[in-house]
Each structure stands twice: as C-alpha cells, then as structure tokens.
Amino acid sequence: MVRAGFPAHITVLYPFLGESRFDDSAAGADGSATGTDGSRPESGGSRSKLGGPGAGSVHAELVGLFAAHAPFTLTFTRFRRYPGVLYLPPAPEAPLRALTEALTARWPEAVPYRGIFDPPLAPHLTLANHEGPDTYEAAYDALERELAPHLPLVSRVSSVDLLVTDGPGKGWREFRSYRLGGAGEDPA
C-alpha cells in the first residue's frame, strides 16, 4: 500500500484554483503552487501568505465562505470500498457536501475531480489505495481487521485546509487553513 505523504483528510474540492490566482509569494520555493493547470491545490493545507491583485480577494472570499459554515462533528463507523480503495464514509455527509457546493458555486471552473466521476464521489476518508488488483482484497481485509477495534472514530471539524503540491511526485503540503464559523484564517 502507498503512503500519501499528507495527513488523513476528506477532500472538499479537488482540484481547486490554478497558480495564476495566487502570486509568487504564495508559491513554493520553485514558484509552482498550481491547480487545475498541472499541480493541484486541494481544498480540504496552511499558513503561507496570499497576495497579488486577485489573490487577496480569493483569500478574503475563502475566509468569508468558510466562516459562513458552522463547525461540525463527523463519525466513521464502517468500512467501504471503491474499486482499489478502502475508505470510511463520514456521517453526516451534508456539511461536507455543503462546503463543496459553496466552493463550486463561487468558482464553477473548479469541477470536483475534473468531472471524471459520474455520479460524483461521496465524501470519504481514504485508508488505502493503489494496492495491486490481484492483492488488494486480501490486503484490505487485513487492514479492516486491524483498524476495526478503533471504530467508531469521531472527529470535530473546525477548519478547512488548502493543500498544494509543487509538482508531480513532490508530495503535498499545507498552504493555508480557514476556520469554519470563525472570524478568519487559523493562526499559524
């Protein structure tokens, strides 16, 4: 199984906005924190500065958008599988779907998963993926047995992180964090 290189998360919207929406001070060391045009911001990492003519308004709009949604609690009680993916479905789904809907209403060019899933993927916490097609059932059965004693898992969601990648194979990092129901950005 493959480790993703970032914390467990539920994706609210992937991909998000491209690099042109943020200035160079918000980019990675090589100047490449991008989105739908190559590398991938994902709403759903932390504490860099946004700037430039349009970036401040994107940041301000994100602060306001997330502040308009109250924090919520998710419970994970069972395992589910997509082909090749072991995951936990959250309950309730409604607060997560509301965040996705708010983001896509404001930025309709940010189509969840580039529109490749029809119907769209349900909110989920991925536990494992990329196991070979001949071995994933046995591997996922073993992982379920190992993790089952830890269920139910309950998590309070009080912020949404914007995660970015600096390019293919370079992993993901937190870019900025936004409070739900709060007055703005989470402190660094």
Side-chain angles (χ1 to χ4, degrees), residues 11-183:
T11 299
V12 174
L13 180 59
Y14 164 82
F16 189 48
L17 300 177
E19 181 177 12
S20 63
R21 304 298 282 272
F22 305 96
D23 82 344
D24 290 341
S25 70
D30 66 355
S32 61
T34 66
T36 56
D37 53 355
S39 56
R40 302 162 191 88
E42 175 180 355
S43 189
S46 140
R47 295 135 165 77
S48 292
K49 295 180 181 176
L50 291 176
S57 64
V58 169
H59 171 61
E61 288 186 60
L62 287 170
V63 167
L65 184 144
F66 291 123
H69 293 264
F72 52 92
T73 299
L74 296 176
T75 303
F76 304 88
T77 61
R78 63 181 193 231
F79 300 97
R80 289 284 181 257
R81 296 180 188 188
Y82 294 128
V85 177
L86 176 64
Y87 69 95
L88 297 172
E93 289 184 0
L96 296 163
R97 290 186 184 276
L99 292 171
T100 301
E101 290 168 8
L103 288 163
T104 57
R106 172 52 191 93
W107 292 283
E109 68 273 26
V111 177
Y113 296 101
R114 296 188 177 93
I116 62 173
F117 297 106
D118 188 25
L121 291 179
H124 61 281
L125 175 63
T126 300
L127 298 174
N129 64 356
H130 300 304
E131 183 66 31
D134 297 330
T135 59
Y136 81 85
E137 290 293 338
Y140 295 173
D141 288 346
L143 189 56
E144 282 186 27
R145 283 190 302 276
E146 179 184 338
L147 298 176
H150 301 285
L151 298 181
L153 176 64
V154 178
S155 180
R156 182 78 175 152
V157 180
S158 59
S159 65
V160 174
D161 294 335
L162 180 63
L163 302 178
V164 298
T165 181
D166 292 319
K170 294 189 178 185
W172 293 85
R173 63 183 168 81
E174 291 186 7
F175 187 69
R176 187 161 236 153
S177 186
Y178 297 92
R179 278 188 246 171
L180 294 174

